[in-house]
Amino acid sequence: MAENGKVSKLSVGEKSVQMPILEGTLGPDVVDVRKLYGDAGVFTFDPGFTSTASCQSKITYIDGDEGVLLHRGYPIEELARHSDFEEVSYLLLYGELPNKEQRANFVRGITYHTMVHEQLREFFRGFRRDAHPMAVMCGVVGALSAFYHDSTDINDPHQRMVASYRLVAKMPTIAAMAYKYSAGQPFVYPRNDLNYAENFLHMMFAVPAEPYTPNPILARAMDRIFTLHADHEQNASTSTVRLAGSSGANPFACIAAGIACLWGPAHGGANEAVLLMLEEIGSKDRVAEYVKKAKNKDDPFRLMGFGHRVYKNYDPRAKVMQETCHEVLGALGKQDDPLLELAMELERIALEDDYFVEKKLYPNVDFYSGIILRAMGFPTSMFTVLFAVARTVGWVAQWNEMIEDPMQKIGRPRQLYMGAPQRAYVPIEDRK
Ligand code: SDX
């Protein structure tokens, strides 16, 4: 970050303050307001942080107007097409694409952390079988610090690295266990001869009664879906992880906080909500009715999978996801999936509608993902769990960056107080 010599001047009553303007590698400059309250006695006000940069970061960059997403400078389209999730995970964590030796060492490091403490199996027993798997994920991941206390010292770079590897490696195992528990099937141990995506499909869909070989097309699609969800700047769940981490909380607790935030239907829960919405719409002839509902200010209904805080153009991930959708459904002989046809009709109508055009509402990463995952055999309730599995590497990369940032301090926003002015206590016998 560089001070570019430019300053922003602000007059507040009789006071006039100057604030440095800082320049990044890409994207808008920022006005450094850190001294504003000290110099002028006022706060900035930005609910939802629509115009606020919470940190400096080198990991991911989004140009919402151009529909650009870069991970350490590499476009998501190129990573999705030419790379894989293990390599993208290394890139997010270390900042560069790995050479062959670095890749081999990283993959080995992740692979040999995929098993969980055997006693963790008992933890699942406390949940009802019909518990939402995201509720299970919040509980089990939050409990990891009780099992892996030897990697909770956030000031020890080695322990931070071990915790990061453990989280990236164990999330698929725990996610698959959450599914198996809900299905009443036995847990399936990870296999070290399979890659990350293949291993996840194996732990999800293998049963002891017969051999299981991951379908290579589905494994490649799973890998690509993980890559598309890996990181996304300072979104709500990543900001949650950073804020939790800023207090010094252990990494397992921080990631559990991120999982809880991701669950919301306005965020990672949207992929599940898209499928439920498409099933509710049911047929093409009802699309117009729902588009009308989405435009009605008095109706809380929104088109799930549409719109984005940053993208005011097509989400580049949604484009790759749509291509993957056609590939997977074609490979499975489900290219006539009525839900896909319905989704495409919904997209067509929405993108022609003035309301959506004017508000620049385009399909986002969640719009097509659920259709692919459903076709692959995942229950709808597992969709956000898969998002959490993929996003874990982004969360831990951002968490590590936050801890290593010399600027970082505990996050503690202020407020605009609108409550009662100070007043004296009234004993209950004197109250009306
Ligand atoms: C993810 O931040 C990230 O990067 C998130 C994510 C990631 O990778 O981490 O990209 C993943 O969360 C994708 C988003 C998934 N959520 C959904 O698909 C849910 C549906 N979308 C909306 O809830 C909404 O678009 C948000 C939450 C995604 C963005 O909301 P914003 O930026 O706060 O925008 P807004 O709610 O202020 O909407 C602006 C206008 C409003 O109308 P006005 O008040 O200006 O008249 O657009 C309207 C909204 O009513 N609008 C929609 C709409 N989304 C916004 N109207 C109908 N349907 C929608 N989907």
Side-chain angles (χ1 to χ4, degrees):
M1 166 181 63
E3 286 198 28
N4 51 22
K6 292 189 276 186
V7 293
S8 170
K9 294 176 183 171
L10 182 67
S11 296
V12 180
E14 297 303 310
K15 294 179 182 172
S16 174
V17 294
Q18 291 201 7
M19 294 168 284
I21 291 179
L22 310 178
E23 196 173 287
T25 316
L26 295 170
D29 291 350
V30 299
V31 178
D32 183 349
V33 299
R34 284 176 289 178
K35 293 183 177 172
L36 177 62
Y37 179 58
D39 291 352
V42 293
F43 298 142
T44 59
F45 184 66
D46 187 13
F49 311 120
T50 51
S51 301
T52 296
S54 62
C55 62
Q56 59 179 347
S57 180
K58 300 178 179 178
I59 299 172
T60 292
Y61 172 71
I62 301 170
D63 181 331
D65 294 330
E66 298 302 318
V68 170
L69 167 57
L70 308 177
H71 288 317
R72 302 286 191 177
Y74 296 98
I76 188 63
E77 298 89 341
E78 292 187 37
L79 293 171
R81 202 151 285 123
H82 305 303
S83 185
D84 62 23
F85 186 68
E86 286 93 334
E87 187 172 83
V88 170
S89 295
Y90 182 97
L91 175 65
L92 290 171
L93 288 168
Y94 293 102
E96 298 296 338
L97 290 169
N99 61 32
K100 288 180 181 172
E101 183 186 0
Q102 290 165 331
R103 177 192 166 90
N105 289 336
F106 179 69
V107 168
R108 189 178 312 110
I110 295 295
T111 300
Y112 284 88
H113 277 88
T114 50
M115 284 180 69
V116 293
H117 189 293
E118 191 65 6
Q119 201 174 315
L120 202 72
R121 300 161 64 93
E122 303 317 312
F123 207 85
F124 286 80
R125 306 265 175 265
F127 293 99
R128 288 172 41 146
R129 292 276 180 176
D130 62 352
H132 193 291
M134 281 298 279
V136 176
M137 294 301 288
C138 290
V140 175
V141 174
L144 289 180
S145 56
F147 289 84
Y148 300 108
H149 199 70
D150 62 333
S151 59
T152 54
D153 176 358
I154 66 162
N155 298 307
D156 176 348
H158 177 72
Q159 290 199 30
R160 287 207 303 273
M161 183 271 291
V162 171
S164 300
Y165 276 52
R166 279 173 163 161
L167 281 158
V168 172
K170 297 178 193 309
M171 279 291 279
T173 309
I174 295 168
M177 292 171 81
Y179 167 65
K180 286 301 197 186
Y181 184 71
S182 71
Q185 291 183 1
F187 297 140
V188 175
Y189 288 102
R191 274 178 43 186
N192 294 346
D193 62 318
L194 298 177
N195 70 33
Y196 197 87
E198 291 166 342
N199 204 10
F200 179 61
L201 293 178
H202 159 72
M203 293 186 287
M204 277 288 302
F205 299 119
V207 289
E210 59 187 24
Y212 175 85
T213 304
N215 174 322
I217 294 174
L218 300 190
R220 179 67 188 127
M222 188 79 262
D223 182 275
R224 190 179 294 168
I225 290 170
F226 282 153
T227 297
L228 292 173
H229 287 83
D231 191 55
H232 213 238
E233 280 194 6
Q234 306 311 317
N235 58 84
S237 52
T238 298
S239 299
T240 301
V241 170
R242 279 180 171 261
L243 197 56
S246 73
S247 75
N250 75 70
F252 305 103
C254 295
I255 299 307
I259 294 171
C261 177
L262 186 74
W263 194 1
H267 190 15
N271 53 17
E272 178 177 0
V274 167
L275 245 292
L276 299 176
M277 174 187 74
L278 291 174
E279 287 168 348
E280 182 185 336
I281 293 174
S283 68
K284 285 184 185 179
D285 56 23
R286 295 190 66 197
V287 166
E289 171 196 338
Y290 277 83
V291 169
K292 187 176 177 190
K293 268 172 69 72
K295 292 157 60 174
N296 179 357
K297 286 273 129 264
D298 300 325
D299 189 329
F301 173 79
R302 286 192 168 178
L303 276 191
M304 303 317 282
F306 267 80
H308 199 278
R309 169 61 55 77
V310 177
Y311 289 121
K312 300 311 172 189
N313 195 325
Y314 215 99
D315 182 334
R317 302 168 298 175
K319 281 183 185 163
V320 181
M321 200 69 83
Q322 190 188 60
E323 291 165 17
T324 306
C325 199
H326 287 293
E327 282 171 26
V328 169
L329 295 183
L332 294 173
K334 298 180 178 179
Q335 55 273 29
D336 301 330
D337 183 335
L339 276 186
L340 174 60
E341 287 183 32
L342 182 55
M344 292 176 71
E345 176 68 1
L346 177 58
E347 177 185 357
R348 184 186 67 77
I349 292 180
L351 294 186
E352 289 174 356
D353 185 286
D354 292 344
Y355 173 93
F356 288 85
V357 172
E358 175 209 320
K359 293 184 185 297
K360 299 182 178 178
L361 303 175
Y362 292 87
N364 58 49
V365 68
D366 294 304
F367 187 62
Y368 284 103
S369 57
I371 298 167
I372 305 172
L373 297 173
R374 177 177 168 275
M376 291 172 73
F378 292 100
T380 307
S381 61
M382 280 295 290
F383 292 1
T384 308
V385 173
L386 302 191
F387 195 149
V389 168
R391 186 53 58 88
T392 294
V393 68
W395 287 333
V396 294
Q398 300 266 355
W399 171 75
N400 277 295
E401 183 179 65
M402 183 270 300
I403 290 176
E404 292 158 9
D405 182 348
M407 280 188 182
Q408 88 91 10
K409 52 176 60 177
I410 188 166
R412 205 279 185 217
R414 303 303 300 271
Q415 63 178 15
L416 175 63
Y417 177 67
M418 301 297 286
Q422 186 166 330
R423 50 186 171 166
Y425 180 78
V426 178
I428 191 164
E429 49 274 5
D430 298 338
R431 295 172 210 158
K432 297 180 181 61

